[in-house]
């Protein structure tokens, strides 16, 4: 894979959860991250307003995951597993 700009990936992932992963070329991973964030947002809206905490934790995890994946791409290393369990390449 071609080198990816870390700052652009992080900013995109900050603006829309998972978009930085799509920028990295990890489309499935980015879509799954976005769908999970969407589900958490819907739970926050329709079930309990306390789900914002889970949403914040998820957003921070996706930012960290974007950092790890971009770093792995730039160093020609293997992409880490999604949630340390799932291969979404």
């Amino acid at each position: 894979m071609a080198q990816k700009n870390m700052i652009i990936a992080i900013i995109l992932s900050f603006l829309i959860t998972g978009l930085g992963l799509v920028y990295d070329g990890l489309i499935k991973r980015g879509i799954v991250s976005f769908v999970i964030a969407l589900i958490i947002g819907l739970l926050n809206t329709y079930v309990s307003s306390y789900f914002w905490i889970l949403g914040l934790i998820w957003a921070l995890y996706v930012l960290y995951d974007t950092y790890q994946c971009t770093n792995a791409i730039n160093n020609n290393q293997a992409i880490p597993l999604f949630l340390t369990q799932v291969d979404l390449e």
Side-chain angles (χ1 to χ4, degrees), residues 3 5 10-11 13 25-27 31-32 36-37 43 47 53-54 58-59 61 67 69-70 77 88:
Q3 293 283 315
N5 187 317
I10 296 294
I11 289 173
S13 208
L26 304 170
I27 296 171
I31 290 171
V32 169
I36 291 172
L43 288 172
V47 176
I53 297 168
L54 184 59
W58 181 251
Y61 170 77
Y67 168 79
C69 290
T70 306
Q77 298 173 342
L88 286 177

Side-chain angles (χ1 to χ4, degrees), residues 17 31-42 58 82-83:
T17 303
I31 290 171
V32 169
S33 297
F34 178 76
V35 169
I36 291 172
L38 186 65
I39 291 169
I40 293 170
L42 290 173
W58 181 251
F82 183 68
L83 295 171

